[in-house]
Amino acid sequence: MTYRQLWQRLVPVYGEGEAQAIARLIYEVRYGLTLSDLLMGRDSSVPQDELEQIAIRLERQEPVQYILGQADFYGRTFVVNEHVLIPRPETAELCQWIIATDATHILDIGTGSGCIAITLAAEMPEAEVTAWDISEEALKVAEENAKRTDVHVKFEQVDILHLPSSILHQTSAFDLIVSNPPYICNKERETMEANVLEHEPHTALFVPNDDPLLFYRAIAQYGQTALKEGGWLYFEINPLYAEPLREMLSKMSYHDIEIKEDQYGKRRMIRAKR
């Protein structure tokens, strides 16, 4: 199977443009072959049995990032697997918003691959960054990414919905809390792409239909005591619930609330001051 044969095989699933991009990524990352190499016919050296297995996985719409075991985010390469969400460009925009601040004690809740916490630690070297996740497997991935990036992040296994008293009673511990929590309601499943729905971890994606702000509420409640006076909450959000979230934060006495659009024009981020 040549490069051309691979991407043509993927066209029925992904369309021509995306199929070509995915095939090029496979050859470049897994086999170290550039486009020039492919045009010169050097794709004939690729192990055919392995390539066939990769093609089958791609035809099943398994994300190419999981197949390669890595994803690019904010100019760095992160290890990813089925235990963590694949980092997305919108989340990089959230990081950019935070990097412009002067925060020195930061908490990332629901860190997953660690992409937010590690990016902030790398771009804000004076900051002390702590990161929580409920998943032991996700924390293993995040810790590996921190080592690879050569930054220090304090990782802890913590469930924001069931905080131990030792954490619950912390006061003024952080000047910024950030989270990209689960925010997709179960009723939205039927509109989602199969590569996300069938392969990415559901615990990091979904919330009950009757409580879409479940995690935002828990984090905001914790922030009422854990944030320093004048400290900030930063969230990635579901555009469908931007206004209910703004209203909830206002009722909880947060102020200077700002909703920000992502590069696609969707209301994707919010911040609020304690």
Side-chain angles (χ1 to χ4, degrees), residues 120-135:
L120 298 181
E123 299 292 332
M124 305 170 72
E126 301 303 314
E128 295 181 11
V129 182
T130 302
W132 294 350
D133 204 285
I134 190 175
S135 167

Side-chain angles (χ1 to χ4, degrees), residues 15-42:
E16 186 168 332
E18 188 175 359
Q20 288 190 39
I22 290 172
R24 283 182 59 183
L25 192 62
I26 291 293
Y27 278 93
E28 180 181 346
V29 175
R30 179 61 62 89
Y31 303 114
L33 296 176
T34 65
L35 181 58
S36 296
D37 293 327
L38 298 175
L39 295 175
M40 294 172 66
R42 292 176 180 162

Side-chain angles (χ1 to χ4, degrees), residues 177 217-228 233 254 274:
I177 295 176
R217 185 184 310 106
I219 294 167
Q221 288 172 342
Y222 176 65
Q224 287 176 316
T225 54
L227 279 172
K228 298 174 183 177
L233 288 178
Y254 286 93
R274 175 176 180 263

Side-chain angles (χ1 to χ4, degrees), residues 52-269:
E52 175 64 24
Q53 291 305 309
I54 289 173
I56 291 171
R57 293 171 70 182
L58 288 169
E59 287 174 324
R60 293 172 179 164
Q61 298 192 54
E62 183 175 347
V64 65
Q65 294 91 340
Y66 287 160
I67 294 172
L68 295 172
Q70 65 180 60
D72 291 334
F73 182 83
Y74 214 92
R76 299 177 179 87
T77 300
F78 285 77
V79 173
V80 295
N81 61 28
E82 69 277 10
H83 300 295
V84 300
L85 292 182
I86 297 166
R88 288 169 167 77
E90 306 93 294
T91 308
E93 293 183 66
L94 177 63
C95 288
Q96 184 64 54
W97 202 13
I98 295 169
I99 289 166
T101 73
D102 58 358
T104 57
H105 293 80
I106 298 172
L107 172 64
D108 173 27
I109 298 178
T111 196
S113 67
C115 64
I116 293 177
I118 291 166
T119 298
L120 298 181
E123 299 292 332
M124 305 170 72
E126 301 303 314
E128 295 181 11
V129 182
T130 302
W132 294 350
D133 204 285
I134 190 175
S135 167
E136 183 179 354
E137 295 299 326
L139 288 171
K140 289 178 182 177
V141 175
E143 288 168 353
E144 181 177 352
N145 282 322
K147 290 178 183 177
R148 286 171 173 247
T149 312
D150 195 25
V151 297
H152 175 70
V153 176
K154 182 181 179 183
F155 292 105
E156 298 178 328
Q157 187 174 10
V158 177
D159 179 358
I160 185 61
L161 300 181
H162 302 93
L163 291 176
S165 58
S166 58
I167 290 178
L168 192 59
H169 296 128
Q170 285 180 335
T171 58
S172 302
F174 305 101
D175 46 28
L176 191 148
I177 295 176
V178 57
S179 184
N180 176 19
Y183 60 62
I184 302 172
C185 286
N186 283 301
K187 63 185 178 183
E188 298 176 67
R189 288 174 184 248
E190 60 189 40
T191 65
M192 296 175 66
E193 298 289 341
N195 63 331
V196 175
L197 185 59
E198 295 177 11
H199 297 284
E200 298 200 52
H202 287 191
T203 54
L205 290 170
F206 295 109
V207 288
N209 290 336
D210 60 353
D211 196 2
L213 302 182
L214 172 65
F215 288 94
Y216 297 102
R217 185 184 310 106
I219 294 167
Q221 288 172 342
Y222 176 65
Q224 287 176 316
T225 54
L227 279 172
K228 298 174 183 177
E229 189 70 32
W232 288 93
L233 288 178
Y234 278 76
F235 290 126
E236 184 170 324
I237 65 174
N238 185 335
L240 294 174
Y241 303 105
E243 287 307 322
L245 179 55
R246 184 207 294 269
E247 183 179 345
M248 185 194 79
L249 291 172
S250 180
K251 288 181 178 179
M252 297 175 74
S253 298
Y254 286 93
H255 55 93
D256 292 350
I257 301 170
E258 180 181 357
I259 297 172
K260 189 177 179 71
E261 292 183 350
D262 64 18
Q263 61 184 313
Y264 306 110
K266 293 185 176 181
R267 305 172 89 190
R268 186 62 69 183
M269 296 159 275

